[in-house]
Amino acid sequence: MLDAKKIKELINCDIDVFSFDCVCSTNLLAKEHGAKFLGDALFIAEAQTNGRGRLGRTFYSPENSGIYMSLTLTPRLKPEDYTLITTAAAVSVAKAIDCYLNTPTKIKWVNDIFLNGKKVCGILTEGVFEKDYSFAVLGIGINLFEPKNGFPEEISQIAGGIFENGCTESIKTDIIAKIINNFYEYYSVLPQKDFLSEYRAKDMLKGKTVDYVKNGICYTGTAQGITDTLELKVVDSNNTTHFLSSGEVTIGSKKA
Ligand code: BTN
């Protein structure tokens, strides 16, 4: 497992750091921690048996392949501002990974990070809302390299790794510390959206034909970019403008 003490030394914020070989889901651990009012904390695992993805999916988290980490973020925000956490995190991760690459990563709205057309990172922010308290958990799953036996068939077309030939523990540690340091810089002034210009610069969808569903109807349109309120602006084939605030967009094959 990664050295929690080393990671704590490298990060600029005073949060607890816990490192494990294998857990069910780091998001689950971060939630349990939040419910005990113990402050912000970082949970890292080398593998997860039940990694959680967006939209009820699982996140493939085998050992020796990725970084799986979650942050408990004690409340500072209104629940409606939780999207800012995800977008700030996407930029934080992309910048950290870019330090090790010649080709820069791209962000696919809202929260997927792509490298050379393959998804290398997914982000899942979950809110916990109880009668007397609420907090957020930010989960980040990074595919550092392709697992020994390849990705499972259902994600083999989309998932990719960052490094071709593995990477050292010290690179893993450094990437984690960079992500946390980048993130807390944005998080400390989150409503200012200091990450927005970099988010836009890394927008993978702008100008592309995309398929999306709005109010149960499927559309094809051209992505126009990210608004100040982090919606994806799309113009459909009838020249109608849509602002998407959540959901999934796929890069389409049809003509808009
Ligand atoms: C997605 O792409 O659907 C989001 C995936 C988020 C996966 C990460 S891995 C660490 C953390 N723990 C989880 O169970 N999920 C998140």
Side-chain angles (χ1 to χ4, degrees):
M1 80 182 77
L2 293 174
D3 185 348
K5 203 164 145 247
K6 177 93 197 136
I7 292 168
K8 196 161 161 60
E9 276 165 22
L10 292 172
I11 59 181
N12 305 328
C13 51
D14 184 21
I15 59 171
D16 287 326
V17 179
F18 302 98
S19 176
F20 303 88
D21 279 327
C22 183
V23 299
C24 169
S25 152
T26 53
N27 264 28
L28 211 66
L29 298 185
K31 278 187 196 170
E32 286 169 4
H33 182 89
K36 293 182 199 147
F37 307 104
L38 296 170
D40 288 11
L42 173 64
F43 294 84
I44 305 157
E46 295 271 18
Q48 300 182 114
T49 53
N50 194 15
R52 297 156 63 91
R54 287 179 68 229
L55 309 170
R57 297 178 190 139
T58 54
F59 188 80
Y60 185 59
S61 318
E63 60 181 341
N64 297 325
S65 176
I67 293 174
Y68 315 106
M69 58 192 266
S70 300
L71 262 177
T72 309
L73 296 167
T74 45
R76 235 190 263 178
L77 301 165
K78 298 190 263 358
E80 57 267 32
D81 287 336
Y82 281 10
T83 324
L84 301 181
I85 295 177
T86 303
T87 39
V91 177
S92 306
V93 174
K95 276 172 53 176
I97 297 174
D98 283 358
C99 295
Y100 285 95
L101 299 172
N102 295 323
T103 314
T105 50
K106 294 271 184 193
I107 300 173
K108 177 172 171 278
W109 180 89
V110 181
N111 55 357
D112 289 339
I113 297 177
F114 275 69
L115 177 67
N116 299 324
K118 295 278 182 138
K119 177 170 165 174
V120 294
C121 170
I123 298 173
L124 172 68
T125 304
E126 298 187 273
V128 175
F129 305 102
E130 294 296 338
K131 202 161 137 261
D132 304 320
Y133 63 92
S134 65
F135 61 92
V137 162
L138 165 66
I140 298 170
I142 303 172
N143 303 327
L144 289 175
F145 33 87
E146 193 163 332
K148 217 166 57 210
N149 300 321
F151 288 105
E153 202 184 323
E154 60 277 18
I155 56 168
S156 62
Q157 294 302 310
I158 180 136
I162 293 166
F163 300 108
E164 276 182 17
N165 301 312
C167 77
T168 61
E169 205 156 298
S170 112
I171 293 178
K172 281 192 201 176
T173 304
D174 185 60
I175 290 177
I176 293 170
K178 281 192 165 65
I179 292 171
I180 298 298
N181 289 337
N182 292 342
F183 178 76
Y184 270 91
E185 216 173 301
Y186 296 134
Y187 184 61
S188 58
V189 288
L190 200 60
Q192 272 176 226
K193 299 178 195 158
D194 285 355
F195 54 85
L196 187 55
S197 58
E198 286 183 79
Y199 190 86
R200 282 181 171 140
K202 286 188 162 291
D203 180 0
M204 172 174 150
L205 297 178
K206 192 169 181 181
K208 297 251 167 52
T209 301
V210 292
D211 297 327
Y212 54 101
V213 178
K214 198 179 175 195
N215 301 329
I217 302 171
C218 299
Y219 294 91
T220 297
T222 306
Q224 309 288 320
I226 312 293
T227 67
D228 288 349
T229 45
L230 301 168
E231 292 159 311
L232 179 69
K233 184 177 170 187
V234 189
V235 174
D236 74 13
S237 38
N238 296 321
N239 231 11
T240 305
T241 301
H242 299 264
F243 294 95
L244 310 181
S245 55
S246 62
E248 192 144 80
V249 160
T250 49
I251 296 183
S253 46
K254 294 172 246 162
K255 225 174 161 30

